[in-house]
Amino acid sequence: MAANTEIAELIRGALCRFLQDACAAGSGVKLDMDNPAAEVSAPLGFDTGYTAEFWAERLTGRLNGHGPSLLGVPLIEKITAAKGHVAFHISIQAYDAMTHHIIESCGLPDMPDKSCDDVSYALIKSLMLARKGGEGIPDTASIKKALWLGISAGGFSVAKRAAVNRRCAAAVLGIFEGMKYAERDALAPRLGSFGQCAARLIWINSLQEV
């Protein structure tokens, strides 16, 4: 089992247990790992007799002491409501733990012989960033988005995995988009772990497309 597939299953399991304990709904709720509102969401506003806002408030109250964990760290930073869905925002501690697990689970791919598409370009960019320093993952939206696309791809069918991997590649290529030069220059030297993880994710998702 690929490292990102393992992580996707661990996240689903942790959130299902959390929902089961909080509202006896874990077993019947479909978790969405491809919602713009957050990394993971659940349509509780549609599947229960209560609003998403009600559930977001109730579940938030259970985070301290009863919140789900992943690889030994808190999984969720905050819970919000969006268009009938309860949105689970993953913590930066969980991103650090996922990154470390993926790096430890598989080797760094080789530099591609040629770059003929965005996936190849993104792999090259990730391998170049992997040479940078820094510890952990910066709490930056574009960085987390790129990683999440690569991680969540492991939980999808082959056809969707390929599409999500292409979106991951585009996100990697656009991590500095909209940033001022000073912000970009301050961030780039800290992206070693991001590059190491992103390169592995793009590579293993590409292998699973076959």
Side-chain angles (χ1 to χ4, degrees):
M1 180 185 295
N4 60 340
T5 301
E6 177 190 2
I7 288 173
E9 291 189 2
L10 288 173
I11 291 173
R12 286 187 185 277
L15 286 177
C16 282
R17 289 190 296 274
F18 178 58
L19 290 171
Q20 182 68 45
D21 292 343
C23 57
S27 60
V29 170
K30 179 182 178 182
L31 294 175
D32 184 358
M33 290 189 167
D34 190 20
N35 188 327
E39 289 93 340
V40 188
S41 69
L44 295 181
F46 299 104
D47 294 347
T48 69
Y50 299 92
T51 65
E53 288 75 13
F54 167 84
W55 286 118
E57 183 176 351
R58 176 168 179 168
L59 293 169
T60 295
R62 295 182 63 86
L63 282 181
N64 291 330
H66 301 282
S69 63
L70 176 73
L71 302 172
V73 300
L75 174 59
I76 302 302
E77 175 190 3
K78 64 179 179 179
I79 302 172
T80 59
K83 298 181 179 180
H85 287 249
V86 173
F88 299 96
H89 303 260
I90 290 182
S91 70
I92 192 63
Q93 298 99 313
Y95 273 104
D96 281 338
M98 291 187 290
T99 296
H100 178 75
H101 182 74
I102 289 164
I103 291 173
E104 290 295 312
S105 297
C106 52
L108 194 66
D110 295 330
M111 188 73 73
D113 294 332
K114 58 182 180 179
S115 54
C116 56
D117 55 26
D118 282 353
V119 173
S120 299
Y121 281 121
L123 178 55
I124 291 170
K125 180 172 183 174
S126 298
L127 289 169
M128 292 176 68
L129 288 173
R131 302 169 184 169
K132 303 283 187 181
E135 294 185 6
I137 297 300
D139 195 357
T140 304
S142 61
I143 299 299
K144 294 189 292 184
K145 176 183 177 181
L147 285 179
W148 179 249
L149 286 167
I151 291 166
S152 66
F156 297 127
S157 65
V158 173
K160 183 162 185 177
R161 185 183 302 128
V164 174
N165 195 37
R166 289 191 293 271
R167 288 164 55 200
C168 171
V172 168
L173 294 174
I175 55 173
F176 298 124
E177 198 170 292
M179 291 186 186
K180 296 180 179 178
Y181 287 117
E183 185 181 4
R184 182 188 64 188
D185 291 345
L187 179 62
R190 302 166 54 206
L191 294 181
S193 293
F194 167 77
Q196 294 247 358
C197 186
R200 287 167 166 85
L201 288 170
I202 292 169
W203 178 245
I204 61 177
N205 287 327
S206 297
L207 290 177
Q208 292 178 73
E209 291 173 16
V210 179

